[in-house]
Amino acid sequence: MAIRRGRGVAAVNYPTGMNLGGDPSQALVHSTPTGNFMVTLSSVDLGQGLKQVMAQICAETIGVKTEQVIIDTADTDTGPHCMGTFASRGTHRIGNAVIQAAKEARQVMLEVAAEALEVDAGDLETDGEGNIHVKGAPQKSISIFDTALMAHFKLGRSISGRGMFLVPRSYPEVETGAMKPSTCYAHACTVAEVDVDDETGEVTVVSIKNVFEIGRALNPKMVEQQLVGGSWMGISHALYETTEPYYPARDHAGTDFNEYLMPGPGDIAPTEIVVLERPAEDGPYGAKGPGEMCANPQIPALANAIFDAVGVRIDMMPITPERILRALKEQRATAH
Amino acid sequence: MAKVPVQFSLNGEEKAEFVDSGSTLLKVLRDKMGDTSPKGGCLQGTCGSCSVVVDGELRLSCLTLAETCDGADIQTTAGLASDGVLHPLQRAFMDEFAAQCGFCTPGMIMAAKVLLDANPDPTREDVIEALSGNVCRCTGYEPIIRAVLTAARSNSQNAA
């Protein structure tokens, strides 16, 4: 009886979004009279930072500061259609819709400014600080605030844009079954090191080392936050979480989340995260979807590490001490 | 049901209210006093999101009867900032990106505050121990642990 160390590796090729009957998201952008921009969505921010990233995307496209963009995700009854924030689709799908809407709004904004400055809209550019000026002649300038006022009060125009991003449904080829389930893929690889006590079946995660390739990280700190949390969730799925902790019979099953095993801060493992950025051709500013993927490769990596440590293959999650001990018992029985 | 009078100090302000006998402190704070910073998660003392400080001690407000707090000094996350300046713990939680959905954050911050009040220079293990009654679904805890250590460092720098 001993504590045995093992190491396992796993990699994942992860599609951004999904493809059932087509995968659409829509966005509407309009200027307020103060020269701020409002993005209307029915996509929900669950805490992953959708609002922040959509504000960045809109601001970058229109040419204003991020603080000048307000994101409204208020109501799925009244907002533009969105399939939802799941399947790692938010940044990619909704971001692309926001870009299209913001481009249209920017074009109207430049047309209004062109009218005010008596120049051609094609000769104008934004300075990112809230002003529009003639290329090469920054003194010939109008603020976006004044541009909005002019549109609203003099020209009777709405500085606004409509955005739509649709990944059409992909049908499998009849002969080969080949299809295109996604337009871009994120990638990840995890190396897990564990200590397995072959007397108690307990697993201690010695280290988790992850590499994530996620397209461009639009907000690097929030990407890191997602990946750190996700990596931990992967470990937690692999080793701890179940609605029926340790007991096969329903009599002992949990009845709600209060009885759901949720590890605390004392159970975390030393974690390393490396981010690789290979911008996606069809991503908003190159982004892919890392959200769900970041909790995936830890699970097979840990299963492989446990196999490396004690030679048993556990194919049920979570890999509890009980399952390891039963597998070890079977292993000893067949060895004799 | 008979109402009972309860009087205590909430974040330095005297409060008095008639409450249903048996009301939890969490319910009274949120529904009667309008302080929604303590969150009702499991409502049975396992998740820590309702944590508040009563007379310097960390308490689960979902399991504490309001009547037992008569005359007490109660602190919640809502009272931490003063004159618009964030408490070092709040600042550190922002700087370290220690919140995602934010539901566990007030409980985490109060647990951390009780730790730092008693032990201004905690080790990583001290922090993990202090936060062990609070669960978080999003962050993987690491950014929260870092935030508490960062707040401790910034406190000691300010004191120096």
Side-chain angles (χ1 to χ4, degrees), chain B residues 28-66:
Chain B
V28 170
L29 288 175
R30 290 180 61 89
D31 297 349
K32 295 270 188 182
M33 315 266 179
D35 181 351
T36 53
S37 65
K39 306 296 178 198
C42 67
L43 302 178
Q44 62 167 26
T46 56
C47 79
S49 65
C50 67
S51 301
V52 300
V53 179
V54 179
D55 291 331
E57 264 182 35
L58 191 67
R59 292 272 280 274
L60 297 163
S61 63
C62 77
L63 294 186
T64 303
L65 296 186

Side-chain angles (χ1 to χ4, degrees), chain A residues 259-283:
Chain A
E259 295 165 43
Y260 182 79
L261 186 61
M262 175 73 212
D267 301 307
I268 61 175
T271 300
E272 278 180 50
I273 306 274
V274 174
V275 175
L276 301 178
E277 294 180 86
R278 282 170 50 202
E281 270 176 38
D282 74 339

Side-chain angles (χ1 to χ4, degrees), chain A residues 46-48 221-222 224-226 228-229 232-233 236 241 258 260 262-266 268, chain B residues 42 44 97 99-101 124 128 131-132 134-143 145-146:
Chain A
L46 312 155
Q48 77 276 50
K221 283 299 285 184
M222 280 168 42
E224 183 194 334
Q225 182 185 42
Q226 276 283 298
V228 170
W232 162 240
M233 274 186 217
S236 195
E241 291 185 48
N258 290 336
Y260 182 79
M262 175 73 212
I268 61 175
Chain B
C42 67
Q44 62 167 26
F97 284 69
Q100 282 188 41
C101 84
R124 185 183 162 85
I128 289 173
L131 300 179
S132 61
N134 298 63
V135 295
C136 170
R137 180 73 272 183
C138 312
T139 62
Y141 300 106
E142 189 61 45
I145 296 165
R146 272 206 303 260

Side-chain angles (χ1 to χ4, degrees), chain A residues 205 208 230-240 269 271 298-299 302:
Chain A
V205 182
I208 286 277
S231 177
W232 162 240
M233 274 186 217
I235 298 172
S236 195
H237 293 323
L239 299 179
Y240 305 117
T271 300
Q298 298 79 17
I299 300 166
L302 283 165

